[in-house]
Amino acid sequence: MILLIGGLGFIGSHVTRALVDLGRPCVLAQRRTGGVPDLLAGEIGGPVSVEQADVTDLKSLLAVGERHEITSIVYLAGAFGTDPADPVGGVRAGVDGLVNLFEAAVEWGVPRVGLASTIGVYDVTGDGPLREDMPLPMTAGHPIPAAKKVGELIGDHIGGAAGLEVLHYRIGAVWGPLGRPASRFFAVPQLVHRAVRGTVPALSGPGPAGAAPAGPAAYADDGMDTIYVKDCGRAIALLHTAERLGHRTYNVSGGRATTYREFATAITGVIPDAEIDLREGRDPNGLGRDVHLDISRLRQDTGYRHAYDTEAAVRDYVDWLRAGHER
């Protein structure tokens, strides 16, 4: 079985769904028991098992391997050390959990372990797509990519020493079912939710008093590399079911920059009377260029192709929200 840490979360639920669709049984290890997303509800007790385990508790993690034969591990935990109230404790717990994961992999004889990273590790300048073989600076402008860089270094070091095939998936801006209605990094979720419900604050200014921050302003000509979460889940599933892989680091994203104007066109194509709040031009404080990831490795090694273009993704997400789902 494929073990997913965070398998009931936003991306993890879609990775699990994709693995089940590929005929691979999964076990989901969660620190706390909670609700099961609708897209997995019919699979629990069948091809999907749920176990309560905490990666920071090695004993509870190893117990999962006593009940299931683990053949691969997908680690989708969030970035560690990002809590300003306890940065030291957060880093300690995050590193302990990662080391425990590798200890379990060695004990179980698991050959392949995958760690979620982020597009944010590419803190680089220059034109053209961002490739996995580009050198990365040791510094980072935000705690999340800083933590992910640390995780990649630990994974490469332990993987090489222990003979494990450790994968790093550098994920772009993900959006879609089960995701947060508002992101502080990009405005696509806000645009869709606002179009469907009219409840998310406008992006061109502050929201009502006491409301959550509106998030980043959306400039019509600014583009970003996004990936619909169903495509993201399938890409990661393919990386864990491929017989052979030629690399250890893979970009997982759309492979192109999509502008907010393109998203607005897709949204009004589904909801003609939608109010799309865009500013004209580009963000004067932005990069002045669009950034996207090169996903050639992913395509060549797994045969991955997008199932959702921008319009299809917007339509699917609108249908999901209109069906009564809050996220």
Side-chain angles (χ1 to χ4, degrees), residues 74 83 93 106 119 160 166 169 172 199 210 243 245 270 294 304 311 321:
V74 179
D83 181 2
V106 171
I119 187 175
V166 179
Y169 4 95
T199 56
E243 184 176 348
L245 293 172
V270 179
D294 183 337
Y304 170 82
E311 183 177 352
L321 295 173

Side-chain angles (χ1 to χ4, degrees), residues 78-80 82 117-118 120-121 140-150 184-185:
F80 53 78
T82 58
S117 188
T118 173
V121 300
H142 191 276
I144 292 177
K148 293 303 184 182
K149 286 183 183 183
V150 172
R184 53 183 165 165
F185 300 112

Side-chain angles (χ1 to χ4, degrees), residues 4-17:
L4 290 94
I5 308 296
L8 290 174
F10 171 35
I11 296 176
S13 294
H14 292 277
V15 177
T16 303
R17 178 73 266 171

Side-chain angles (χ1 to χ4, degrees), residues 53-289:
D54 186 345
V55 291
T56 64
D57 179 356
L58 180 60
K59 183 177 180 181
S60 75
L61 181 61
L62 291 175
V64 175
E66 296 173 359
R67 295 186 289 271
H68 305 276
E69 183 179 354
I70 307 301
T71 58
S72 187
I73 299 175
V74 179
Y75 188 61
L76 296 166
F80 53 78
T82 58
D83 181 2
D86 186 18
V88 174
V91 169
R92 179 180 292 113
V95 172
D96 284 350
L98 197 54
V99 172
N100 286 344
L101 188 79
F102 286 122
E103 185 168 343
V106 171
E107 179 160 325
W108 299 333
V110 174
R112 185 175 293 174
V113 178
L115 308 178
S117 188
T118 173
I119 187 175
V121 300
Y122 290 107
D123 187 13
V124 295
T125 59
D127 297 324
L130 302 176
R131 303 184 313 275
E132 296 92 337
D133 59 358
M134 297 176 71
L136 303 181
M138 291 296 291
T139 57
H142 191 276
I144 292 177
K148 293 303 184 182
K149 286 183 183 183
V150 172
E152 287 195 22
L153 288 170
I154 292 174
D156 285 341
H157 175 70
I158 295 181
L164 297 172
E165 185 181 31
V166 179
L167 306 180
H168 303 287
Y169 4 95
R170 294 174 179 168
I171 304 172
V174 189
W175 62 285
L178 305 180
R180 292 177 178 172
S183 168
R184 53 183 165 165
F185 300 112
F186 70 121
V188 173
Q190 289 96 311
L191 292 176
V192 178
H193 275 262
R194 180 173 174 79
V196 173
R197 297 178 175 147
T199 56
V200 177
L203 296 171
S204 60
Y219 285 81
D221 296 330
D222 278 345
M224 73 238 77
D225 194 342
T226 69
I227 184 168
Y228 195 53
V229 69
K230 292 185 179 181
D231 277 337
C232 181
R234 188 165 52 85
I236 294 173
L238 290 172
L239 285 170
H240 281 266
T241 55
E243 184 176 348
R244 291 185 182 86
L245 293 172
H247 305 278
R248 296 295 175 265
T249 304
Y250 289 87
N251 289 332
V252 176
S253 202
R256 65 179 291 266
T258 304
T259 66
Y260 281 117
R261 193 183 305 279
E262 291 177 84
F263 276 108
T265 299
I267 292 169
T268 54
V270 179
I271 308 175
D273 60 349
E275 295 182 16
I276 308 297
D277 186 43
L278 298 182
R279 296 181 180 184
E280 287 302 316
R282 284 185 177 274
D283 184 349
N285 298 314
L287 292 175
R289 60 184 175 84

